[in-house]
C-alpha cells in the first residue's frame, strides 16, 4: 500500500466521524485536524515519489498530449517495485512507491520501477527528464481531470495565477514520505524537517531554467513555490513549533478553500473568491449551499502544499527532481538526518544558522557560505552511515557539495556548451 492508501483505509475505519457528516464549527474542525495529522509509532518506513517531465526527443519543444501519455500507461504491467504511476497536470509522470522499511530497499524498488517506466516511454518514442522545472516549454495543462481544471480556474482568479500555472505544469520533485515517529518526538522532528529545508534545497537544486530562459535561481521550482500564497504553500510552523497538530490546524483553517466537490456528482468547482476554511465551517459563508463535511475537510487538506505536510506521516516536498546518479544519495542524506537520532542532533546544529534561508537557498544555493558550510557538514554525517551499495552516488554528491556545485550547475554548463533543446533531447533519450 502507498502511504495515501494507508491513510484512506484509516479514514474509512474512523467510525466516530463519518465522512458525510457536516462539521459545525471551526473548533470541531481544528480538533479533528490536530487529532488525525500524525500517527504515533516507530520510525523506519520510507516512501518515495519521483516526478519527471515527459518529452518528445525528436521535437523537445512539443508537449506530448494526454492521449499519447496515457496510451503508454495503459500497456504497463504492475511495477516490480510496487509503484503507482500517475500523470501531473502538465504531463509530468510520477512514480509513487509503497512504504518500505529502510532507505536502501526504497531506493532499489524505485530504481527498478524507473527503468521499467523509461523503457515503456522509449518504446513509444517519448522520454522522461528529471529536472526540477521544465526548462524549455511554456506552462500548459494537458491532464483533463476535474481537480486540475478547478485548480487552474482558482489560480487564474487569484494574484498567483502565473505562479500557479507554472507550479501545476512546469515543476517536478522528489517527495519523501517518512513515519511521524513516537508522539513525544513530533515537535522536534517537524522542526528539524523544516530546518533542513534550505540546506537540502541548496544541495539538490536542479532547475536553473524555466520556460526557455535562465531564471537567475538555481532552483526555479522553489522560486515558483515561493511566489505562491503563503497561506497555502508556506511553512506550517507556529511561533514555537512545539505543537505540530495545533500549528497544522491553525494553518488549514486559515487557508482559503480552493475547490469543492459536488456530493452527488463527479464534479469539482473552483472557489474564485477568498474564503478561509474557517469561514465555511463556521457558517459565515456557505459553499454549495451547505457547510463542509468531514470529506470536504479531508479534501481541503490535499489542496494545501507546505514544504512539510503532515498526512499521518511526514510528507517532505521541497526537493527538486534530480538525475539518477545522485538522487539515491540525496534521499539517503535527508532520511538519515531525520531518522538516525545521533545524525539528527548533528544536523540540527549544522543547519541552525540557515534554518529559514529558503529564498537564499533557491537563488544562489551553495554559493552562500553558510549554506555551503551546513551542506558539507550534513553530507559528511550521512556519508559516514551510507551502505556500500550507495557509495558511488554518495561520492558524487560529496564531490559536488565540496566544490560548491549542485545539479543545476552541471545542467547549466551543458546548456551553455550544447544548447538547450539538444541537451533536453539527449536527456529524454536517456543520456547521462
Amino acid at each position: 500500500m502507498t502511504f495515501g492508501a494507508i491513510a484512506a483505509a484509516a479514514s474509512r475505519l474512523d467510525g466516530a466521524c463519518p465522512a458525510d457528516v457536516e462539521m459545525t464549527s471551526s473548533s470541531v474542525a481544528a480538533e479533528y485536524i490536530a487529532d488525525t495529522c500524525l500517527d504515533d509509532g516507530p520510525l523506519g518506513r520510507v516512501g518515495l515519489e519521483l516526478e519527471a517531465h515527459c518529452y518528445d526527443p525528436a521535437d523537445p519543444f512539443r508537449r506530448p498530449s494526454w492521449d499519447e501519455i496515457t496510451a503508454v500507461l495503459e500497456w504497463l504491467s504492475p511495477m516490480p517495485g510496487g509503484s503507482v504511476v500517475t500523470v501531473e497536470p502538465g504531463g509530468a509522470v510520477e512514480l509513487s512507491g509503497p512504504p518500505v522499511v529502510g532507505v536502501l530497499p526504497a531506493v532499489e524498488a524505485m530504481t527498478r520501477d524507473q527503468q521499467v517506466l523509461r523503457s515503456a516511454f522509449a518504446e513509444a518514442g517519448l522520454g522522461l527528464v528529471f529536472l526540477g522545472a521544465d526548462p524549455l516549454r511554456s506552462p500548459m495543462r494537458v491532464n483533463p481531470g476535474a481537480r486540475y481544471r478547478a485548480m487552474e480556474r482558482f489560480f487564474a482568479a487569484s494574484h498567483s495565477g502565473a505562479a500557479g500555472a507554472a507550479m501545476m505544469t512546469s515543476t517536478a520533485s522528489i517527495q519523501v514520505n517518512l513515519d511521524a515517529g513516537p508522539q513525544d518526538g513530533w515537535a522536534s522532528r517537524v522542526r528539524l524537517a523544516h530546518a533542513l529545508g534550505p540546506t537540502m534545497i541548496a544541495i539538490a537544486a536542479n532547475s536553473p531554467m524555466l520556460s526557455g530562459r535562465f531564471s537567475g535561481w538555481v532552483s526555479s521550482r522553489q522560486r515558483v513555490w515561493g511566489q505562491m500564497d503563503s497561506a497555502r504553500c508556506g511553512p506550517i510552523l507556529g511561533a514555537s513549533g512545539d505543537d505540530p497538530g495545533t500549528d497544522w490546524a491553525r494553518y488549514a483553517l486559515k487557508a482559503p478553500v480552493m475547490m469543492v466537490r459536488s456530493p452527488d456528482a463527479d464534479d469539482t468547482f473552483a472557489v474564485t473568491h477568498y474564503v478561509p476554511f474557517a469561514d465555511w465551517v463556521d457558517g459565515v459563508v456557505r459553499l454549495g449551499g451547505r457547510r463542509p463535511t468531514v470529506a470536504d475537510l479531508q479534501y481541503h487538506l490535499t489542496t494545501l502544499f507546505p514544504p512539510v505536510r503532515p498526512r499521518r506521516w511526514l510528507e517532505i516536498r521541497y526537493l527538486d527532481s534530480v538525475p539518477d546518479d545522485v538522487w539515491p544519495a540525496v534521499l539517503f542524506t535527508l532520511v538519515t538526518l531525520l531518522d538516525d537520532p545521533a545524525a539528527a542532533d548533528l544536523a540540527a546544529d549544522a543547519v541552525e544558522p540557515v534554518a529559514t534561508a529558503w529564498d537564499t537557498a533557491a537563488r544562489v544555493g551553495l554559493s552562500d557560505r553558510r549554506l555551503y558550510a551546513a551542506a558539507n557538514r550534513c553530507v559528511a554525517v550521512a556519508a559516514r552511515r551510507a551502505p556500500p551499495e550507495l557509495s558511488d552516488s554518495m561520492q558524487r554528491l560529496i564531490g559536488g557539495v565540496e566544490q560548491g556545485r549542485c545539479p543545476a550547475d552541471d545542467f547549466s554548463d551543458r546548456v551553455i556548451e550544447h544548447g538547450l533543446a539538444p541537451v533536453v533531447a539527449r536527456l529524454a533519450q536517456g543520456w547521462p
Side-chain angles (χ1 to χ4, degrees):
M1 299 174 76
T2 65
F3 273 99
I6 291 170
S11 179
R12 289 193 295 272
L13 293 174
D14 185 9
C17 199
D20 59 352
V21 170
E22 285 194 1
M23 309 196 89
T24 57
S25 70
S26 55
S27 61
V28 170
E31 183 177 3
Y32 179 88
I33 296 167
D35 287 348
T36 61
C37 70
L38 295 173
D39 282 344
D40 185 13
L43 299 174
R45 293 181 304 167
V46 179
L48 297 180
E49 301 180 25
L50 269 63
E51 295 175 342
H53 304 283
C54 182
Y55 275 94
D56 176 356
D59 183 4
F61 291 94
R62 184 180 75 85
R63 189 179 294 268
S65 70
W66 173 251
D67 288 343
E68 288 177 276
I69 296 169
T70 55
V72 178
L73 304 187
E74 287 175 2
W75 291 98
L76 277 179
S77 300
M79 289 287 170
S83 292
V84 174
V85 185
T86 55
V87 182
E88 295 298 300
V93 181
E94 179 179 85
L95 280 168
S96 300
V100 296
V101 177
V103 178
L104 192 57
V107 169
E108 291 172 342
M110 184 57 69
T111 299
R112 292 195 300 272
D113 290 350
Q114 259 191 313
Q115 292 170 347
V116 170
L117 192 68
R118 270 203 172 103
S119 295
F121 274 86
E123 289 179 8
L126 301 175
L128 300 176
V129 175
F130 292 83
L131 286 165
D134 189 327
L136 189 57
R137 303 169 301 196
S138 298
M140 186 178 75
R141 179 175 61 85
V142 300
N143 188 325
R147 174 181 172 92
Y148 298 131
R149 292 198 306 271
M151 286 180 70
E152 192 173 60
R153 289 194 293 270
F154 174 88
F155 287 128
S158 74
H159 69 278
S160 56
M167 178 274 287
M168 287 178 62
T169 68
S170 298
T171 62
S173 70
I174 298 176
Q175 185 171 295
V176 184
N177 300 309
L178 300 175
D179 287 311
Q183 185 170 357
D184 61 3
W186 285 353
S188 60
R189 186 163 169 78
V190 171
R191 285 197 299 268
L192 180 56
H194 282 83
L196 283 168
T199 298
M200 292 305 304
I201 287 169
I203 290 171
N206 191 34
S207 48
M209 302 188 71
L210 182 67
S211 301
R213 299 182 180 87
F214 281 103
S215 68
W217 296 57
V218 291
S219 178
S220 301
R221 175 186 175 275
Q222 186 62 29
R223 183 193 185 195
V224 166
W225 283 97
Q227 293 171 330
M228 304 287 289
D229 184 356
S230 62
R232 183 177 306 281
C233 300
I236 68 171
L237 287 182
S240 68
D242 289 336
D243 187 352
T246 298
D247 288 343
W248 182 227
R250 183 181 297 113
Y251 184 104
L253 291 172
K254 180 182 178 181
V257 180
M258 175 182 279
M259 62 186 91
V260 177
R261 292 190 295 185
S262 172
D264 55 0
D266 185 18
D267 194 17
T268 303
F269 68 86
V271 180
T272 55
H273 52 293
Y274 199 94
V275 180
F277 191 88
D279 285 0
W280 188 19
V281 74
D282 284 332
V284 176
V285 176
R286 288 184 176 267
L287 299 175
R290 57 179 176 81
R291 291 194 186 204
T293 63
V294 174
D296 289 318
L297 173 56
Q298 292 170 339
Y299 193 66
H300 172 64
L301 297 177
T302 72
T303 70
L304 308 180
F305 310 112
V308 180
R309 183 165 65 174
R311 297 191 64 188
R312 299 185 181 266
W313 61 93
L314 291 184
E315 186 181 80
I316 299 172
R317 306 172 51 85
Y318 45 62
L319 296 175
D320 278 7
S321 184
V322 294
D324 293 353
D325 59 357
V326 75
W327 75 254
V330 170
L331 165 69
F332 180 82
T333 298
L334 178 60
V335 175
T336 299
L337 298 181
L338 282 166
D339 280 9
D340 181 297
D345 288 342
L346 294 170
D349 181 67
V351 303
E352 191 276 333
V354 290
T356 60
W358 298 91
D359 282 353
T360 300
R363 188 175 66 255
V364 300
L366 298 177
S367 296
D368 179 87
R369 61 179 180 80
R370 298 184 307 158
L371 285 163
Y372 175 81
N376 275 278
R377 290 178 64 185
C378 285
V379 170
V381 168
R384 289 195 292 269
R385 294 160 171 80
E389 294 88 343
L390 297 182
S391 60
D392 288 346
S393 186
M394 283 300 306
Q395 285 303 313
R396 183 167 181 83
L397 181 64
I398 291 168
V401 171
E402 287 179 346
Q403 296 175 48
R405 292 176 64 86
C406 59
D409 295 311
D410 294 335
F411 179 75
S412 297
D413 288 350
R414 295 175 69 179
V415 169
I416 291 169
E417 182 177 358
H418 301 291
L420 177 55
V423 168
V424 171
R426 291 176 184 179
L427 290 174
Q429 291 170 324
W431 290 33

